[in-house]
Amino acid sequence: MPDIEHMPVADDPRMWSSFRKNLTLFLVASASMTAGFAVNIQNPAVGEMEQDLNATSGQFSLSISVFILVQGLLPLLWSAVSEIKGRKLVYISSLGLSVVGSIVVATSRTMPLVIGFRALQAAGLSAVMAIGAASLADIFDPVERGTKMGIYYIAPQLGPAIGPIFGGVLTTAFNWRAIFWFLAIVGGTNALNFLFFFKDTFRRERSLTYQNILRERLSEKPRDQNNSSSTSQQEHTINLADIKISLKDLNPIEPQLQILRRWNNIAILVASGLQFAFGFILTYTSSRTLSSAYNYNALKIGLVILTYGIGDIIGGRWSDRELRQRKAANGGISFAEMRLKSTLLGVIMLPPCILAFGWVCQERVNVSAICILLFACGFFSIWQYTSTLAYIVDANVGRSSSAVSINSTFRGIAAFIGTELAVPMQDGLGDGWTYTIWTVIMALSGALILIVAVKGRGWREAAEAQEKHRQQAKE
């Protein structure tokens, strides 16, 4: 068996010019921000959409929960396809789907049609979230990946942060349909940018998914017993190149199972899912409270929710600063679990901020208190959220797109369940007790992150050794 993992890499993306790398970063970040936009841009228009479409609060929340569920599940498919056909094809085709979904939603006259084509929109945008980080892992070495990932993560943070503002402005200036025409235009622009300016970053030599399929195909080929050791390595490499791998060879489940066999991954995936669900539900339930209890219009709601997004952005920068300090203290050497250790302050401070926010909303305190606590929740929660995203990439070298996609699945399922429960909980228990429950959930999520920060390196290295042993046994 040839040493596939050490095959020469043609046109190595990590050897590209700084301009080409930064252009790739810009394209991926821009598309990711669009996906972030689409998640909660409609929240400020909740009242107008329900009235215009004669929809109930349950139907509106279903449109959100279905969107996030589909956005979470489809990356399993997109990431698997990207490991065979490359990243560029996935970006262009998926963004095209999102444009179609946006146009149909913009012209819909019934809520069921909105729900159905929001799902199509989510299916398209999910690919960007799934393979964006993987594309950057393709082109940046680990020593520079932290900084570039930090820049990239501004986009998913910025999207939800300013999405409500755009939703509020568009709804106030025009109507709720303008939101989805805007998403169609932005999505189409992104698709054209990838078509003309994006150079595919995928290289099969670095993909464990591709290599494993190749090994299986090689093991199925009959061996020529008369072929002696005189066959040169160069000839063997040419034979490898002649093997064609297609989507029929793809098993999208196996790469995900490899991720789920590691305890450190499972713990972080659960924590990441809960963190995402909290941020998603916080902006939605806050919008409902501001609309019903404070009688705010779409623009005012967007401005208030913006404080949470600002907290996200500043908190993300602070988290990177903590990581740099820890790396410097460790002689400039970092490892996957190091970023998790920088979340300690966020883990401690987030639960009391959530608790205070819930009871401030319950007692209808002045909106300035809501703004301050939304900022605090964003500031402390993003420490944990971005750290789980970075960790799932760094701890699964060679499977970055699969790791990100299954992370999206956990997030989508958690947000779907949370959103479906949000309206009955908020209406039945009130803001105070609803967020008391979320205080406990976020405390448990933070505990999982700290456990992996302490135990994860040992779990990960033991799992890597077992995987290597199983692969050697197969060969």
Side-chain angles (χ1 to χ4, degrees), residues 451-465:
I451 289 171
V452 177
V454 175
K455 299 287 188 179
R457 188 174 187 178
W459 292 343
R460 175 171 55 83
E461 291 176 349
E464 289 171 352

Side-chain angles (χ1 to χ4, degrees), residues 48 137 170 174 181 201 236 294 359 377 406 414 452:
E48 183 173 325
L170 290 169
F174 303 100
W181 285 116
T201 64
H236 207 157
Y294 290 80
W359 289 102
C377 287
I406 200 166
V452 177

Side-chain angles (χ1 to χ4, degrees), residues 1 3 11 15 39 44 94 100 103 152 159-160 206 211 232 255-256 260 276 283 310-311 329 345 388 420 435 440 457:
M1 172 65 67
D3 189 359
D11 189 23
M15 301 300 292
V39 171
S94 63
V100 174
I103 292 174
Y152 165 71
R206 286 205 176 104
Q211 291 175 15
S232 68
Q256 320 305 326
L260 292 175
F276 181 79
T283 56
I310 293 172
L345 183 60
T388 59
E420 284 298 288
Y435 283 104
V440 175
R457 188 174 187 178

Side-chain angles (χ1 to χ4, degrees), residues 320-339:
D320 288 342
R321 174 178 174 274
E322 288 288 310
L323 177 62
R324 287 194 297 269
Q325 291 179 346
R326 287 178 177 271
K327 182 177 178 180
N330 195 43
I333 300 173
S334 65
F335 50 91
E337 290 74 19
M338 183 175 288
R339 179 178 282 273

